[in-house]
Amino acid sequence: MSKLGKVGPYTLLERLGRGGMGEVYLAGSRRGERVALKVLHELTQDDSSRIRLEREVRALRRVESPYVAKVLDADLGCARPYLVMEHIEGVTLLDRVRQDGPLDMAQLVDMAQGIAAALAIIHAAGVVHRDLKPANIIMGAEGPVLIDFGIAQVHDATRLTMTGTFLGTPGYTAPEIFADEQVDSPADIHAWAATVAFAATGRPAFGRGTAEAQMYAVLNGQADLKGVPVALLPLVRAALNREPGKRPTAALLADRLSRLARVTGGLGAGSAPKGLLAAPVAEETRGRAADDAKSPRKTGEEGRSPRPRVGGDTGPRARSGADTGPRTGDSGPRPRTGGEPGSRSRSGG
């Protein structure tokens, strides 16, 4: 019997990380599969919020993408609410940059495109990640993977508490959250831009100061983008727009970066392919918003082969009481970063 005990039907094997919303453990299922289990703290008691959380979990369990850690199971109504995710081997983007320095151009574009694709697919499923940051991206053997959804974050969970404790990550939090404005998928886009800037430069875009200093920098648009490759600057700047409605969608970012990835082999870090990013992103965003209003969003296309899984079973994915409805996916081949399969495992914090 594990010294850490059990949560639901899962045996806790090792604590992998801890954050403001809960603790993440390596756990074993009844069938012997290894998973990442997040024990959730501070779950809202409001019925409407709990219903929203349950709806988001159901939506996430239908998402199929090589860029997103699969949500396998959840129980938000038990004494110790928990979320079960696929366990991914690899180092986090945060640790990768701290150990080896900023990503090179090809790696940077691949990471930026992969995470934009991940956001596009979860946004199409009606889910907002809410906690995108370098520590929540695994640089796996098959490319970047988005982990550790902020699924249990209530709308005001990122505010300063009465004791001054910050429950989010200020340098990767969108200004509308600090300003107590409506929060939706554009908040993830702002976090994407801050994450790409960190990966490109090795520095947090909004500084390393106190939470209050970082909040001030975010609210006032004081991002340090020195060192971000010219080819990526138009997208990063557009994604950091103070007005959420003027930020590009994740789908638009993924499309632009897919095209950029095809030519990055011949690019220098300070060069941009002529004409590739020339169209004003803000104008294209407005046109896209009008198109989206006329037709339902698509959640993906058929044709993507499943990403090989590391650290789990070698057959079909484990389903722990999973839904049987249709699943959401993205399509098309993507460049690979050539991650580090021998690196230590992280599944969120």
Side-chain angles (χ1 to χ4, degrees):
M1 182 69 178
S2 168
K3 293 181 179 179
L4 295 173
K6 297 184 72 172
V7 173
Y10 300 93
T11 300
L12 303 183
L13 304 175
E14 176 188 351
R15 191 167 78 176
L16 299 175
R18 188 174 192 172
M21 288 165 45
E23 296 177 328
V24 178
Y25 296 87
L26 177 65
S29 72
R30 287 172 176 166
R31 295 171 55 185
E33 297 139 341
R34 293 200 164 191
V35 298
L37 185 146
K38 186 170 188 176
V39 180
L40 304 171
H41 299 329
E42 305 295 335
L43 266 186
T44 178
Q45 299 302 311
D46 179 69
D47 288 342
S48 61
S49 295
R50 185 177 289 276
I51 290 171
R52 175 181 57 80
L53 297 180
E54 291 172 348
R55 183 173 62 246
E56 289 193 1
V57 168
R58 287 196 299 271
L60 277 172
R61 288 171 63 178
R62 294 189 177 94
V63 169
E64 285 280 3
S65 171
Y67 302 111
V68 181
K70 177 67 184 170
V71 174
L72 302 173
D73 193 10
D75 189 341
L76 303 181
C78 63
R80 297 180 71 187
Y82 62 87
L83 185 70
V84 180
M85 294 165 285
E86 173 186 21
H87 184 240
I88 305 292
E89 293 281 351
V91 298
T92 66
L93 175 62
L94 178 65
D95 288 340
R96 171 76 173 273
V97 171
R98 284 177 172 174
Q99 293 167 8
D100 302 328
L103 303 185
D104 64 32
M105 185 64 179
Q107 293 170 334
L108 183 62
V109 172
D110 182 56
M111 185 280 296
Q113 190 274 335
I115 299 306
L119 292 176
I121 202 68
I122 67 169
H123 290 170
V127 177
V128 181
H129 186 281
R130 299 187 183 92
D131 198 23
L132 174 59
K133 57 187 176 183
N136 282 342
I137 295 171
I138 295 288
M139 302 297 283
E142 296 299 321
V145 184
L146 185 59
I147 63 170
D148 200 25
F149 291 83
I151 195 73
Q153 255 182 318
V154 294
H155 286 302
D156 62 352
T158 48
R159 296 179 187 170
L160 287 172
T161 66
M162 293 179 66
T163 60
T165 302
F166 190 78
L167 299 180
T169 307
Y172 298 93
T173 300
E176 59 266 28
I177 297 178
F178 295 137
D180 197 22
E181 299 167 357
Q182 183 176 354
V183 177
D184 208 333
S185 56
D188 285 345
I189 302 302
H190 194 278
W192 172 89
T195 297
V196 171
F198 169 79
T201 67
R203 305 184 311 274
F206 294 99
R208 302 178 187 273
T210 64
E212 290 84 356
Q214 293 179 57
M215 289 168 65
Y216 180 87
V218 169
L219 283 166
N220 289 278
Q222 297 176 352
D224 177 8
L225 301 181
K226 184 178 181 181
V228 175
V230 171
L232 291 176
L233 270 177
L235 297 180
V236 171
R237 284 175 174 156
L240 290 174
N241 197 298
R242 175 61 183 84
E243 296 186 40
K246 292 185 177 180
R247 295 172 201 154
T249 63
L252 173 59
L253 291 172
D255 176 70
R256 291 288 189 89
L257 288 161
S258 291
R259 287 184 280 164
L260 180 59
R262 290 195 285 269
V263 296
T264 49
L267 285 177
S271 303
K274 189 172 182 180
L276 184 60
L277 300 177
V281 178
E283 299 251 348
E284 189 165 342
T285 302
R286 285 193 289 271
R288 177 264 314 148
D291 291 340
D292 285 351
K294 298 176 182 177
S295 60
R297 291 184 294 178
K298 295 183 179 180
T299 56
E301 300 172 9
E302 297 180 356
R304 174 178 289 284
S305 300
R307 174 173 54 82
R309 303 295 172 180
V310 184
D313 58 342
T314 55
R317 290 178 188 257
R319 300 295 181 208
S320 303
D323 295 335
T324 57
R327 297 193 176 274
T328 307
D330 57 344
S331 63
R334 64 187 174 93
R336 303 296 188 183
T337 58
E340 302 132 5
S343 309
R344 65 188 179 87
S345 169
R346 288 289 298 277
S347 296

